[in-house]
Amino acid sequence: MLLKDARDFQILFLSTFLILGIATRDWTLKPEFILTAILTCLLTQWAAENIILFKDDPQQLTSSDKFNLSLPNILKIHSWRSALITSLGLSLLLRTNDYSVIILASLAAIISKFIFKFRDKHFFNPANFGIILVLILTPNAWVSPGQWGDDWWCLLLFAGTGSLILKRVGRWDTTATFLISYALLEAIRNFMLGWTWDVFWHRLMSGSLLLFALFMLTDPRSIPNARISRLIWATCIALLTFVMRNQFFISPAIFWALFILSPLTIILDLFWSAPRFSWFNSIDVTNKEAT
């Protein structure tokens, strides 16, 4: 049932942001690129589930169904929500004029969930992984952290919609820790350089920064499980973002910081044990989807 799963809200909000960005920000993003990302992510998710996941994870199918090759079973995409969210994230953040870049980023994003795993938990954010991979491999890809500007209505929209999702998944601590840590570092730098506080607020009032903190940084399936781990992890990402942005002048520093520190999740989960997050409550646990 739609709108019972927190991901349904995320799909709704990300789709709204995408339409809003194209309509109000004069983006050069073509609809066919969005469709390419969506189709590639869904098809890759389907292929991975049928070729990789069900082959290696007997819990996904009962023994009687494991070799059931009926058409409905073959065509079913168990985790279509997650794949769709990944495609929307790529469409919002990744820019290119080459279809092959979109396809490569989408393929890498979905496949990363099935390859880079520890104890059956993937530790890279899929969209983030796809973006960084094409940034490394091709000069025809880029991200635009300032594409949302610093309008207050944008910030309020992101904060309001993001809070609805974070309330359902219980990951406000991660967003708050990252934003507070990063703001504190920027405030110290601003004070030491003797700049006016207008500069400080300008550096923080970024729609892309808030979008990242609310929707990418808080992916509950790839971030640390325990609260103390998430606080440490978010603080480390804020620190690395600050250093990369101000010392190395890397504009998409937030995305690089998340990518570099994602494997830290493995270590933190080993130090502080906690139940792994599940999208499914007791009502729909029998319909448990794939990763």
CSV table of all heavy atoms in Angstrom, one decimal, residues 161-187:
chain,number,residue,atom,x,y,z
A,161,THR,N,9.8,18.9,4.4
A,161,THR,CA,9.6,17.6,3.9
A,161,THR,C,10.5,16.6,4.4
A,161,THR,O,10.2,15.4,4.7
A,161,THR,CB,9.7,17.7,2.3
A,161,THR,OG1,11.0,18.2,2.0
A,161,THR,CG2,8.6,18.5,1.7
A,162,GLY,N,11.8,17.0,4.6
A,162,GLY,CA,12.8,16.1,5.2
A,162,GLY,C,12.4,15.7,6.6
A,162,GLY,O,12.7,14.5,7.0
A,163,SER,N,11.9,16.6,7.4
A,163,SER,CA,11.5,16.3,8.7
A,163,SER,C,10.5,15.2,8.8
A,163,SER,O,10.5,14.3,9.7
A,163,SER,CB,11.1,17.5,9.5
A,163,SER,OG,9.8,18.0,8.9
A,164,LEU,N,9.6,15.2,7.8
A,164,LEU,CA,8.5,14.1,7.8
A,164,LEU,C,9.1,12.7,7.7
A,164,LEU,O,8.7,11.8,8.3
A,164,LEU,CB,7.5,14.4,6.7
A,164,LEU,CG,6.7,15.7,6.8
A,164,LEU,CD1,5.8,15.8,5.6
A,164,LEU,CD2,5.8,15.6,8.1
A,165,ILE,N,10.1,12.6,6.8
A,165,ILE,CA,10.8,11.3,6.5
A,165,ILE,C,11.6,11.0,7.7
A,165,ILE,O,11.6,9.8,8.2
A,165,ILE,CB,11.6,11.4,5.2
A,165,ILE,CG1,10.7,11.6,4.0
A,165,ILE,CG2,12.4,10.1,5.1
A,165,ILE,CD1,11.4,11.8,2.7
A,166,LEU,N,12.4,11.9,8.2
A,166,LEU,CA,13.3,11.6,9.3
A,166,LEU,C,12.6,11.2,10.6
A,166,LEU,O,13.1,10.4,11.4
A,166,LEU,CB,14.3,12.8,9.6
A,166,LEU,CG,15.3,13.1,8.5
A,166,LEU,CD1,16.1,14.3,8.9
A,166,LEU,CD2,16.2,11.9,8.2
A,167,LYS,N,11.4,11.8,10.7
A,167,LYS,CA,10.6,11.4,11.9
A,167,LYS,C,10.2,9.9,11.8
A,167,LYS,O,10.1,9.2,12.8
A,167,LYS,CB,9.3,12.3,11.9
A,167,LYS,CG,8.4,11.9,13.1
A,167,LYS,CD,7.2,12.9,13.1
A,167,LYS,CE,6.3,12.5,14.3
A,167,LYS,NZ,5.1,13.4,14.3
A,168,ARG,N,9.9,9.4,10.6
A,168,ARG,CA,9.5,8.1,10.4
A,168,ARG,C,10.7,7.1,10.5
A,168,ARG,O,10.5,6.0,11.0
A,168,ARG,CB,8.8,7.9,9.0
A,168,ARG,CG,7.5,8.7,8.9
A,168,ARG,CD,7.0,8.5,7.5
A,168,ARG,NE,6.5,7.1,7.2
A,168,ARG,CZ,5.3,6.7,7.4
A,168,ARG,NH1,4.4,7.5,7.9
A,168,ARG,NH2,5.0,5.4,7.1
A,169,VAL,N,11.8,7.5,10.1
A,169,VAL,CA,13.0,6.6,10.1
A,169,VAL,C,13.8,6.8,11.4
A,169,VAL,O,14.8,6.0,11.6
A,169,VAL,CB,13.8,6.7,8.9
A,169,VAL,CG1,13.0,6.4,7.6
A,169,VAL,CG2,14.5,8.1,8.8
A,170,GLY,N,13.6,7.8,12.1
A,170,GLY,CA,14.3,8.1,13.4
A,170,GLY,C,15.8,8.4,13.2
A,170,GLY,O,16.7,7.9,13.9
A,171,ARG,N,16.1,9.2,12.2
A,171,ARG,CA,17.5,9.6,11.9
A,171,ARG,C,17.8,11.1,12.0
A,171,ARG,O,18.7,11.6,11.4
A,171,ARG,CB,18.0,9.0,10.6
A,171,ARG,CG,18.0,7.5,10.5
A,171,ARG,CD,19.0,6.9,11.4
A,171,ARG,NE,19.0,5.4,11.4
A,171,ARG,CZ,18.4,4.6,12.1
A,171,ARG,NH1,17.5,5.1,13.1
A,171,ARG,NH2,18.5,3.3,12.0
A,172,TRP,N,17.0,11.8,12.8
A,172,TRP,CA,17.3,13.2,13.0
A,172,TRP,C,18.6,13.5,13.6
A,172,TRP,O,19.2,14.5,13.4
A,172,TRP,CB,16.2,13.8,13.9
A,172,TRP,CG,15.1,14.6,13.1
A,172,TRP,CD1,13.8,14.2,13.0
A,172,TRP,CD2,15.3,15.8,12.4
A,172,TRP,NE1,13.1,15.2,12.2
A,172,TRP,CE2,14.0,16.1,11.8
A,172,TRP,CE3,16.4,16.6,12.1
A,172,TRP,CZ2,13.8,17.2,11.1
A,172,TRP,CZ3,16.2,17.7,11.3
A,172,TRP,CH2,14.9,18.0,10.8
A,173,ASP,N,19.1,12.5,14.4
A,173,ASP,CA,20.4,12.7,15.1
A,173,ASP,C,21.5,12.9,14.1
A,173,ASP,O,22.4,13.7,14.3
A,173,ASP,CB,20.7,11.6,16.1
A,173,ASP,CG,20.5,10.2,15.4
A,173,ASP,OD1,20.3,10.1,14.2
A,173,ASP,OD2,20.5,9.2,16.2
A,174,THR,N,21.5,12.2,13.0
A,174,THR,CA,22.5,12.2,12.0
A,174,THR,C,22.5,13.6,11.3
A,174,THR,O,23.6,14.2,11.2
A,174,THR,CB,22.3,11.1,11.0
A,174,THR,OG1,22.2,9.9,11.6
A,174,THR,CG2,23.5,11.0,10.0
A,175,THR,N,21.4,14.0,10.9
A,175,THR,CA,21.3,15.3,10.2
A,175,THR,C,21.7,16.5,11.1
A,175,THR,O,22.5,17.4,10.8
A,175,THR,CB,19.9,15.6,9.7
A,175,THR,OG1,19.6,14.6,8.7
A,175,THR,CG2,19.7,17.0,9.1
A,176,ALA,N,21.2,16.5,12.4
A,176,ALA,CA,21.4,17.5,13.3
A,176,ALA,C,22.9,17.6,13.6
A,176,ALA,O,23.5,18.7,13.7
A,176,ALA,CB,20.6,17.3,14.6
A,177,THR,N,23.5,16.4,13.9
A,177,THR,CA,25.0,16.4,14.2
A,177,THR,C,25.8,16.9,13.1
A,177,THR,O,26.7,17.7,13.3
A,177,THR,CB,25.4,15.0,14.5
A,177,THR,OG1,24.6,14.5,15.7
A,177,THR,CG2,26.9,14.9,14.9
A,178,PHE,N,25.5,16.5,11.9
A,178,PHE,CA,26.3,17.0,10.7
A,178,PHE,C,26.1,18.5,10.6
A,178,PHE,O,27.2,19.2,10.4
A,178,PHE,CB,25.8,16.3,9.4
A,178,PHE,CG,26.4,16.9,8.2
A,178,PHE,CD1,27.7,16.6,7.8
A,178,PHE,CD2,25.6,17.8,7.4
A,178,PHE,CE1,28.2,17.2,6.6
A,178,PHE,CE2,26.1,18.4,6.3
A,178,PHE,CZ,27.4,18.1,5.9
A,179,LEU,N,24.9,19.0,10.6
A,179,LEU,CA,24.7,20.5,10.4
A,179,LEU,C,25.3,21.3,11.5
A,179,LEU,O,25.9,22.4,11.2
A,179,LEU,CB,23.2,20.8,10.2
A,179,LEU,CG,22.5,20.2,8.9
A,179,LEU,CD1,21.1,20.5,9.0
A,179,LEU,CD2,23.2,20.8,7.7
A,180,ILE,N,25.2,20.9,12.7
A,180,ILE,CA,25.7,21.6,13.9
A,180,ILE,C,27.2,21.6,13.8
A,180,ILE,O,27.9,22.7,14.0
A,180,ILE,CB,25.2,21.0,15.2
A,180,ILE,CG1,23.7,21.3,15.3
A,180,ILE,CG2,26.0,21.7,16.4
A,180,ILE,CD1,23.0,20.6,16.5
A,181,SER,N,27.8,20.4,13.5
A,181,SER,CA,29.3,20.3,13.5
A,181,SER,C,29.8,21.2,12.4
A,181,SER,O,30.8,21.9,12.5
A,181,SER,CB,29.7,18.9,13.3
A,181,SER,OG,29.2,18.1,14.3
A,182,TYR,N,29.2,21.1,11.2
A,182,TYR,CA,29.7,21.9,10.1
A,182,TYR,C,29.5,23.4,10.3
A,182,TYR,O,30.4,24.2,10.0
A,182,TYR,CB,29.0,21.5,8.8
A,182,TYR,CG,29.5,22.2,7.6
A,182,TYR,CD1,30.8,21.8,7.0
A,182,TYR,CD2,28.8,23.1,6.9
A,182,TYR,CE1,31.2,22.5,5.9
A,182,TYR,CE2,29.2,23.8,5.8
A,182,TYR,CZ,30.5,23.5,5.3
A,182,TYR,OH,31.0,24.1,4.2
A,183,ALA,N,28.4,23.8,10.9
A,183,ALA,CA,28.1,25.2,11.1
A,183,ALA,C,29.1,25.7,12.2
A,183,ALA,O,29.6,26.9,12.0
A,183,ALA,CB,26.7,25.4,11.6
A,184,LEU,N,29.5,24.9,13.2
A,184,LEU,CA,30.4,25.4,14.2
A,184,LEU,C,31.8,25.6,13.6
A,184,LEU,O,32.5,26.6,13.9
A,184,LEU,CB,30.5,24.3,15.3
A,184,LEU,CG,31.5,24.6,16.5
A,184,LEU,CD1,31.1,25.9,17.2
A,184,LEU,CD2,31.5,23.5,17.4
A,185,LEU,N,32.2,24.7,12.7
A,185,LEU,CA,33.5,24.8,12.0
A,185,LEU,C,33.6,26.1,11.2
A,185,LEU,O,34.6,26.8,11.2
A,185,LEU,CB,33.8,23.6,11.2
A,185,LEU,CG,34.1,22.3,12.0
A,185,LEU,CD1,34.1,21.1,11.1
A,185,LEU,CD2,35.4,22.4,12.7
A,186,GLU,N,32.5,26.3,10.4
A,186,GLU,CA,32.4,27.5,9.6
A,186,GLU,C,32.4,28.8,10.4
A,186,GLU,O,33.0,29.8,10.0
A,186,GLU,CB,31.2,27.4,8.7
A,186,GLU,CG,31.3,26.4,7.5
A,186,GLU,CD,32.3,26.9,6.4
A,186,GLU,OE1,32.8,28.0,6.5
A,186,GLU,OE2,32.4,26.1,5.5
A,187,ALA,N,31.7,28.7,11.6
A,187,ALA,CA,31.7,29.9,12.4
A,187,ALA,C,33.0,30.2,13.0
A,187,ALA,O,33.4,31.4,13.1
A,187,ALA,CB,30.7,29.6,13.6
